[in-house]
Amino acid sequence: MHRYIVKRLLLAIPTLVGAAALVFVLMRLIPGDVCVIRLGSGGTFVDPATVAACHRQLGLDNPWIVQFLDFLWSYCTLDFGISMWSGNPVIQEIGTRLPVSLQVAVMATVIAILLAIPLGTISALKEGTWLDHVVRVVSIAGIATPSFWLGIMSLILVLNVTSLATGTPWLPPIDYVPPWKDFWRNLSIVLLPAITVGYRYSAVTMRITRSAMLEVLREDYIRTARAKGLIEQIIINRHALKNALLPVVTLIGIEFAFLIGGLVVTEQVFNLNGIGRLLVQAVQNQDNVLAQALVMLVVAIFIFTNLAVDVLYAWLDPRIRFS
């Protein structure tokens, strides 16, 4: 196991370098100039000499290979640089926004698990019944519904319900407050986005849980055990559920990693100041340093989340041994 973990960590290095090269090139292929945008944001004429001085200050006058090597070296030394747009340290910009995205991602993952595993299991155990059909319709609707439309519809629903109930429409506040400062205000900010995202991600997990559970229930030893009576059936159903949930563990880990970087649309709809919205702003402002840092953060979370899930998978199933 230790050799496997070390090998995976070593393999993460070329993955991170490849992701760094890709985002570095893509950010420089986007039309625009951060100095022109920053200096001419009011629509005023920008002197070319001032733009050139800005390029020298930000290091944009250096060849691409020099900029890329500086970029890699700064990450090796854990120096994420200064935002080209705001002038603040990148670590400060990310540290301010990351708690919002992390909380929504964690809550959405919990909601997805609470919805997907029970409903997927019931759907498998009641295969062919009306319960099975209802669960399958719910899961297909979650997969087919665009996230932005679902977010907008949930806001409209809250507006209409609160307007009918109290006479005054209510919307969640947009200024993020940590839960340890004001728990209920924090919950009112993140609960609706978490439910929206959690439902969509539960749809895939629900179908995987159902399929895995059906596959295990159709094994010969399960059918034999079922024929022995109610007590044995209860015990074997528990065993089947355990085996069926093993592939779901991997899916949940991957979904959580995707959630961190995939909240761009949700944060825009609900006006949340998370890293998804920060990434959109960084790309719009041609802030290469900040955009690169955010993409690398998402890639690192994805890599190490997958490693943690693989180790957990081996721990849950003793039959799996990594070399």
Side-chain angles (χ1 to χ4, degrees):
M1 178 65 74
H2 294 89
R3 290 180 59 188
Y4 171 77
I5 294 175
V6 172
K7 186 186 297 184
R8 284 288 299 270
L9 290 174
L10 292 176
L11 288 174
I13 296 175
T15 305
L16 290 171
V17 173
L22 183 61
V23 68
F24 179 87
V25 172
L26 290 178
M27 284 303 302
R28 281 152 184 79
L29 292 178
I30 298 175
D33 189 322
V34 63
C35 292
V36 174
I37 296 174
R38 188 170 69 176
L39 297 173
S41 58
T44 57
F45 171 76
V46 182
D47 182 38
T50 305
V51 175
C54 177
H55 285 170
R56 288 192 298 271
Q57 179 186 0
L58 299 178
L60 296 177
D61 58 336
N62 296 324
W64 277 22
I65 185 64
V66 175
Q67 295 182 44
F68 181 65
L69 292 176
D70 290 340
F71 166 44
L72 288 182
W73 176 250
S74 66
Y75 277 73
C76 291
T77 58
L78 299 180
D79 178 14
F80 301 103
I82 304 296
S83 169
M84 292 179 172
W85 180 257
S86 66
N88 298 324
V90 168
I91 193 69
Q92 177 182 332
E93 295 279 356
I94 295 177
T96 304
R97 309 288 189 95
L98 187 58
V100 186
S101 298
L102 275 179
Q103 184 178 356
V104 174
V106 170
M107 291 180 63
T109 304
V110 172
I111 291 171
I113 293 171
L114 294 177
L115 286 175
I117 294 180
L119 292 179
T121 303
I122 292 172
S123 179
L125 294 175
K126 302 295 183 181
E127 183 185 11
T129 65
W130 67 271
L131 278 173
D132 181 27
H133 293 302
V134 169
V135 172
R136 292 169 68 182
V137 168
V138 170
S139 64
I140 292 173
I143 296 173
T145 306
S147 57
F148 71 90
W149 185 87
L150 188 60
I152 293 172
M153 289 300 102
S154 63
L155 287 174
I156 293 175
L157 177 65
V158 170
L159 279 171
N160 290 334
V161 170
T162 54
S163 179
L164 290 173
T166 64
T168 304
W170 177 88
L171 277 178
I174 60 175
D175 51 330
Y176 179 75
V177 178
W180 55 86
K181 289 186 177 180
D182 192 335
F183 177 79
W184 295 111
R185 183 176 178 83
N186 171 269
L187 196 63
S188 67
I189 296 170
V190 300
L191 183 59
L192 193 57
I195 292 175
T196 303
V197 177
Y199 165 62
R200 290 200 72 249
Y201 276 86
S202 71
V204 179
T205 311
M206 203 180 300
R207 293 183 65 83
I208 296 295
T209 303
R210 179 183 182 275
S211 300
M213 189 71 179
L214 284 175
E215 183 178 353
V216 175
L217 289 175
R218 288 167 182 166
E219 295 287 343
D220 291 338
Y221 72 95
I222 297 289
R223 295 177 179 178
T224 303
R226 277 183 161 180
K228 292 184 177 181
L230 180 60
I231 301 300
E232 288 80 0
Q233 181 176 341
I234 294 174
I235 295 173
I236 207 66
N237 281 345
R238 291 179 179 176
H239 179 70
L241 179 60
K242 177 185 176 183
N243 289 340
L245 290 183
L246 286 176
V248 179
V249 171
T250 302
L251 180 64
I252 291 171
I254 294 173
E255 284 184 352
F256 176 74
F258 273 120
L259 272 173
I260 299 296
L263 290 174
V264 175
V265 175
T266 302
E267 290 178 356
Q268 292 281 29
V269 171
F270 291 96
N271 205 23
L272 294 174
N273 287 319
I275 60 172
R277 192 176 182 195
L278 183 62
L279 178 59
V280 173
Q281 294 172 349
V283 173
Q284 289 175 342
N285 297 329
Q286 295 285 301
D287 192 343
N288 297 340
V289 175
L290 182 56
Q292 290 166 176
L294 289 169
V295 172
M296 294 305 296
L297 173 65
V298 174
V299 172
I301 290 175
F302 185 82
I303 290 174
F304 292 109
T305 299
N306 274 274
L307 175 59
V309 168
D310 286 345
V311 174
L312 179 61
Y313 199 93
W315 178 72
L316 289 174
D317 191 348
R319 297 171 296 176
I320 298 176
R321 286 294 178 265
F322 297 113
S323 59

